[in-house]
Amino acid sequence: GIQVEQSPPDLILQEGANSTLRCNFSDSVNNLQWFHQNPWGQLINLFYIPSGTKQNGRLSATTVATERYSLLYISSSQTTDSGVYFCAVGEGSGGSNYKLTFGKGTLLTVNP
Amino acid sequence: NAGVMQNPRHLVRRRGQEARLRCSPMKGHSHVYWYRQLPEEGLKFMVYLQKENIIDESGMPKERFSAEFPKEGPSILRIQQVVRGDSAAYFCASSPGAGYGYTFGSGTRLTVV
């Protein structure tokens, strides 16, 4: 199956700093999503981004499908950004990439 | 729009009992997925359902686990004769179509004692 690798595994920031999280995947995909799991365990969908660039407030993401990687940018980080960030890639039969394979995540801690 | 609703949030079962986990998808979503999160394994796909149909159950253990999404009512993940290794967080997600952006519920934390 497809392999998903995320880096770095852990990241500690001071409030206000910027960061870049990376996701590499082993095969071509047409479904890639970024999620944030907050300290209470909730999984929040940040982006559905199989290709191109999207922005939502302080967050943005870029996927370069031909080179098999995606980047998540967090600017002006806040303590509420703390948690685990997962990249998930879709694979499935018949062209429906519904079955997500998750990376191990990046644990982000933002200190005040 | 209430989002994806899962209940119960926490469930404690003794070994050998049955666990029933419920998931109501977002309004307008007809595709439901179940994932399990174990500390040492991360998030793993279990099953994909549409109304009254199991589309892909390749991630479900062969025994004791079953899932359904009836015409009326929530999707149910059922675990019979639970063992300690079943202790995990079980997440349900829904989407408006296969492969589109998921919305996850808050999860059910199952503890088997």
Side-chain angles (χ1 to χ4, degrees):
Chain A
I2 196 164
Q3 305 297 312
V4 182
E5 292 186 3
Q6 292 187 242
S7 59
D10 301 277
L11 185 59
I12 300 174
L13 300 174
Q14 287 299 122
E15 204 167 22
N18 303 328
S19 62
T20 301
L21 282 56
R22 187 177 180 99
C23 172
N24 293 330
F25 43 94
S26 61
D27 206 345
S28 59
V29 298
N30 58 19
N31 183 352
L32 188 145
Q33 303 184 42
W34 282 96
F35 296 91
H36 174 218
Q37 187 166 36
N38 65 25
W40 295 271
Q42 291 179 298
L43 277 162
I44 309 297
N45 191 311
L46 301 175
F47 293 104
Y48 169 74
I49 185 164
S51 64
T53 298
K54 289 186 178 179
Q55 180 156 6
N56 184 0
R58 297 180 295 102
L59 303 180
S60 64
T62 295
T63 297
V64 184
T66 53
E67 298 187 22
R68 300 181 184 173
Y69 72 89
S70 183
L71 302 173
L72 178 68
Y73 305 95
I74 305 173
S75 64
S76 304
S77 57
Q78 301 175 357
T79 56
T80 52
D81 295 332
S82 295
V84 183
Y85 289 79
F86 290 104
C87 169
V89 173
E91 58 179 331
S93 60
S96 295
N97 290 350
Y98 52 79
K99 183 162 67 176
L100 294 182
T101 297
F102 281 75
K104 294 186 184 300
T106 292
L107 174 60
L108 175 65
T109 303
V110 181
N111 292 320
Chain B
N1 196 333
V4 178
M5 304 300 292
Q6 286 190 251
N7 66 80
R9 289 295 303 274
H10 300 275
L11 182 62
V12 179
R13 284 287 177 265
R14 295 187 183 278
R15 280 177 294 172
Q17 289 185 320
E18 179 179 286
R20 280 184 176 241
L21 288 61
R22 296 174 186 78
C23 169
S24 296
M26 279 188 71
K27 190 175 182 179
H29 287 191
S30 58
H31 301 254
V32 167
Y33 318 84
W34 286 92
Y35 283 75
R36 178 165 65 175
Q37 186 173 33
L38 289 161
E40 63 277 11
E41 293 184 12
L43 279 151
K44 300 290 187 186
F45 170 84
M46 298 182 76
V47 63
Y48 162 40
L49 310 104
Q50 296 180 25
K51 281 285 186 182
E52 299 185 276
N53 287 302
I54 297 174
I55 308 301
D56 183 345
E57 55 181 349
S58 59
M60 291 273 275
K62 293 290 185 285
E63 298 177 350
R64 302 188 297 107
F65 284 71
S66 63
E68 62 176 4
F69 188 15
K71 186 177 181 181
E72 302 291 338
S75 175
I76 305 288
L77 179 67
R78 181 183 179 204
I79 311 172
Q80 295 178 289
Q81 299 177 318
V82 296
V83 301
R84 287 211 172 122
D86 297 332
S87 295
Y90 292 82
F91 288 93
C92 167
S94 72
S95 68
Y100 288 99
Y102 278 23
T103 300
F104 274 96
S106 297
T108 294
R109 274 94 185 144
L110 172 65
T111 302
V112 179
V113 297

